[in-house]
Amino acid sequence: YTLVINPGAWYGVTMNMQQSLAAIACQIKKRRADVGITQTALAELAGLSQSCVAKIECGQPVTLQSLILIGDALDADCHMVAR
């Protein structure tokens, strides 16, 4: 599974920051559901708080480090696409 950071560039579409964060949140929620774990379980696996995972899944700003930790916990590669 691949989490795409800056998904607009991946698909050749211009997205603002809020749209990019929403797209990242969607990917994380989908992968977490596919794996069948709760936000609390993901937080424990990633070494983050449950509230941090909830904020990320709501499209709040996130650090690259947190994305990498979540990607590792979800057994997903993180790819950053520059435009």
Side-chain angles (χ1 to χ4, degrees), residues 4-42:
V4 180
I5 303 165
N6 192 6
W10 181 269
Y11 297 108
V13 176
T14 301
M15 298 175 90
N16 65 31
M17 181 61 76
Q18 186 144 7
Q19 291 169 321
S20 292
L21 289 169
I24 291 166
C26 242
Q27 294 175 74
I28 291 170
K29 279 191 262 190
K30 181 183 182 327
R31 178 62 178 163
R32 183 176 59 77
D34 290 348
V35 173
I37 60 174
T38 64
Q39 286 182 349
T40 301
L42 175 56

